[in-house]
Amino acid sequence: MRANLFLVGPMGAGKTTLGRRLALARGMTFVDSDAEIQERTGVDIAYIFEKEGEAGFRRRECCVIDDLTQRQGLVLATGGGAILDAGNRNKLASRGFVIYLCASVNLQVSRTARGKHRPLLQTGENRKEILRRLFEQRDPLYREVADLVINTDGRNARGLLRDIQRYLDKA
């Protein structure tokens, strides 16, 4: 088993919630790449999107992913779009064990309904349509890098953690 665990998947899949629990259960350090970007820049993701656009944010994200994936003993929750960059996909796949938390569009709509901190959903367009497009674009990329795919629909964090732990303990 590789020393790092990387969680990928769409917004609302539970990467941060599950990542914290997984790190605690395995005695590892947890980091959320979006939170790390905010800490390093001193501003929130929405502000970066506003001032630098998505391209500027993605450049920052690539630097953070490169840095974090070189550490050891880390559970990393990536941003939903981190896998759009081929370099990020390569680093994730080669530097750790990648778990894809797959969530249906309906679950994503439900979990992101009240959030105002997701710039890609603040366009005024229909949120479900945006999430559907993102899922169609990104699902193949998540699957490309994943060592394990876990469907999160209808599942709570405790059950997901138990299943992931069992899989990791057997690997």
Side-chain angles (χ1 to χ4, degrees), residues 59-84:
R59 281 191 297 277
R60 291 178 182 278
E61 183 176 58
C62 285
C63 292
V64 165
I65 296 286
D66 181 43
D67 177 41
L68 294 175
T69 57
Q70 292 182 62
R71 298 183 187 176
Q72 294 299 308
L74 186 73
V75 174
L76 173 65
T78 62
I83 47 75
L84 292 171

Side-chain angles (χ1 to χ4, degrees), residues 7 12 34 40 47 68 85 97 105 116 136 156 168:
L7 302 176
D34 284 351
R40 290 182 186 194
Y47 185 83
L68 294 175
D85 181 82
F97 186 86
V105 171
K116 301 287 187 228
E136 287 176 1
N156 63 30
L168 295 173

Side-chain angles (χ1 to χ4, degrees):
M1 177 62 55
R2 286 168 268 174
N4 292 319
L5 300 173
F6 304 139
L7 302 176
V8 299
M11 60 183 95
K15 299 180 300 287
T16 299
T17 299
L18 193 59
R20 282 192 182 105
R21 290 179 180 219
L22 187 58
L24 183 63
R26 299 195 73 83
M28 300 171 78
T29 301
F30 173 74
V31 178
D32 178 293
S33 64
D34 284 351
E36 183 72 13
I37 292 167
Q38 290 178 137
E39 186 175 312
R40 290 182 186 194
T41 61
V43 297
D44 65 16
I45 301 300
Y47 185 83
I48 296 170
F49 264 74
E50 179 186 327
K51 296 299 180 189
E52 300 178 9
E54 185 175 358
F57 171 76
R58 296 292 173 209
R59 281 191 297 277
R60 291 178 182 278
E61 183 176 58
C62 285
C63 292
V64 165
I65 296 286
D66 181 43
D67 177 41
L68 294 175
T69 57
Q70 292 182 62
R71 298 183 187 176
Q72 294 299 308
L74 186 73
V75 174
L76 173 65
T78 62
I83 47 75
L84 292 171
D85 181 82
N88 285 346
R89 290 195 306 275
N90 181 277
K91 288 168 186 147
L92 292 166
S94 65
R95 296 177 179 172
F97 186 86
V98 181
I99 302 167
Y100 170 23
L101 299 182
C102 184
S104 70
V105 171
N106 286 337
L107 180 63
Q108 293 174 60
V109 168
S110 169
R111 289 188 176 170
T112 62
R114 290 181 294 279
K116 301 287 187 228
H117 63 282
R118 301 181 189 273
L120 294 177
L121 296 181
Q122 305 306 317
T123 65
E125 280 185 77
N126 178 293
R127 292 167 73 90
K128 187 171 186 175
E129 181 58 27
I130 294 168
L131 291 166
R132 186 194 61 73
R133 278 198 318 266
L134 292 173
F135 182 83
E136 287 176 1
Q137 175 192 31
R138 297 174 179 183
D139 180 66
L141 300 175
Y142 295 134
R143 291 180 186 279
E144 175 187 316
V145 299
D147 295 298
L148 175 63
V149 177
I150 297 281
N151 188 330
T152 63
D153 282 36
R155 310 278 315 277
N156 63 30
R158 182 179 293 124
L160 290 167
L161 177 63
R162 183 185 61 241
D163 289 352
I164 291 169
Q165 289 274 68
R166 283 183 186 155
Y167 184 91
L168 295 173
D169 290 343
K170 288 181 186 175

